[in-house]
Amino acid sequence: MAHLRGEARSRYVRRMFDRIADRYDLMNAIMTFGQYRRWQRKAAETAAPIVGERFLDVATGTGDIAGDLARVAPLVVGVDFSRHMLRAGIAKAKAAGVVRIEGDALALPFPDNTFDGVTIGFGLRNIPDLRTAISEMARVVRPGGRVVCLELTRPLIPGIAPLFRLYFHHVVPLIGGLVSGSFAAYRYLPQSVDRFPDAEALRALFAECGLLFPDYEPLNFGTVAIHWGTKPPEGSG
Ligand SMILES: C[S@@+](CC[C@H](N)C(=O)[O-])C[C@H]1O[C@@H](n2cnc3c(N)ncnc32)[C@H](O)[C@@H]1O
């Protein structure tokens, strides 16, 4: 289903996350051997919130990254188009003081330059139009603010790549299917990674979308990456 395009892909993705929402956090913990929270915290740190700032977490899901940002930033908004994912994270959001809004990453419901920083975790891979999604995040962040993306990526290290493929294409769909009840969702996951740009290509895309100093840090033997870029300060263009 990762081959679907445009609105058909968005519809498929939204329904899929609606179906697995209640088991999403549990499956993340199992599939990553508990590592995913470490990567999410690192993504939030990369966004470098400081006291007094406003942050947006796009494709916020059950809201872990938004919660991490809210430890420092006083106003954090999470946006997602899956009502069930938003509902599944409601208790965490309340505890962290995060505001959650239903909305599409391809048309963020905020004016230009609204936030000091924007994050997206394990979301970009699911969005059919990467250029529009990145440009939207760049639009709503203020000049000089950062856009940060945490995402799965294809490892390029010889030896790791075939192991990752075996694990992701064969073990994850089986465990994911059993835990979440949706085998299709966890067959879609490795397909979506295969179709996603590699880390270098994603860095280039950040630059093409107008973000300055795009760079990334590979994690977990290059199977995960955090990308970032800065919106040009006013008057720099
Ligand atoms: C894999 S989950 C990631 C959730 C969370 N960010 C995390 O780190 O665990 C992907 C999320 O992206 C959301 N999503 C996918 N496409 C979206 C879009 N076009 N607009 C808004 N949310 C979207 C899904 O509903 C889902 O909650």
Side-chain angles (χ1 to χ4, degrees):
M1 288 302 159
H3 65 278
L4 290 174
R5 288 169 181 268
E7 183 51 35
R9 173 107 184 257
S10 287
R11 223 178 6 253
Y12 175 81
V13 165
R14 188 171 60 241
R15 288 184 184 151
M16 182 186 80
F17 281 105
D18 275 345
R19 271 200 309 277
I20 65 171
D22 291 337
R23 293 292 175 94
Y24 175 79
D25 284 347
L26 174 64
M27 189 49 206
N28 264 1
I30 295 173
M31 188 171 61
T32 67
F33 305 99
Q35 296 293 302
Y36 79 107
R37 285 295 294 125
R38 211 162 48 83
W39 307 331
Q40 289 173 322
R41 275 194 289 271
K42 192 150 178 89
E45 279 165 26
T46 304
I50 55 174
V51 175
E53 287 192 328
R54 298 189 293 187
F55 275 77
L56 174 68
D57 183 40
V58 178
T60 192
T62 57
D64 284 324
I65 296 177
D68 293 333
L69 291 166
R71 282 177 213 276
V72 182
L75 178 68
V76 180
V77 179
V79 66
D80 199 291
F81 70 0
S82 159
R83 284 189 190 169
H84 292 236
M85 288 293 274
L86 288 171
R87 204 180 304 147
I90 213 156
K92 280 193 278 190
K94 274 194 177 146
V98 170
V99 177
R100 286 153 77 71
I101 291 177
E102 192 178 326
D104 193 332
L106 291 171
L108 290 170
F110 308 103
D112 298 357
N113 309 330
T114 302
F115 297 96
D116 295 293
V118 179
T119 54
I120 183 166
F122 305 123
L124 199 53
R125 182 175 35 84
N126 298 297
I127 299 176
D129 182 345
L130 299 183
R131 210 174 282 270
T132 300
I134 298 167
S135 301
E136 272 295 273
M137 293 190 283
R139 179 182 67 76
V140 300
V141 79
R142 66 161 164 81
R146 254 186 179 187
V147 174
V148 174
C149 169
L150 167 68
E151 195 47 276
L152 297 169
T153 185
R154 289 188 302 282
L156 301 173
I157 306 169
I160 295 291
L163 282 179
F164 175 75
R165 226 185 138 67
L166 181 74
Y167 177 68
F168 239 55
H169 278 264
H170 298 283
V171 181
V172 164
L174 182 64
I175 302 174
L178 292 172
V179 172
S180 72
S182 173
F183 286 91
Y186 287 90
R187 275 197 302 270
Y188 159 86
L189 172 60
Q191 291 169 10
S192 68
V193 179
D194 284 352
R195 288 181 159 260
F196 194 60
D198 66 28
E200 268 303 324
L202 186 57
R203 169 161 65 176
L205 202 50
F206 266 48
E208 283 168 34
C209 293
L211 292 167
L212 295 178
F213 318 118
D215 211 345
Y216 65 92
E217 180 179 353
L219 304 171
N220 200 44
F221 307 104
T223 59
V224 175
I226 297 176
H227 282 73
W228 62 85
T230 303
K231 182 162 174 174
E234 256 160 351
S236 68

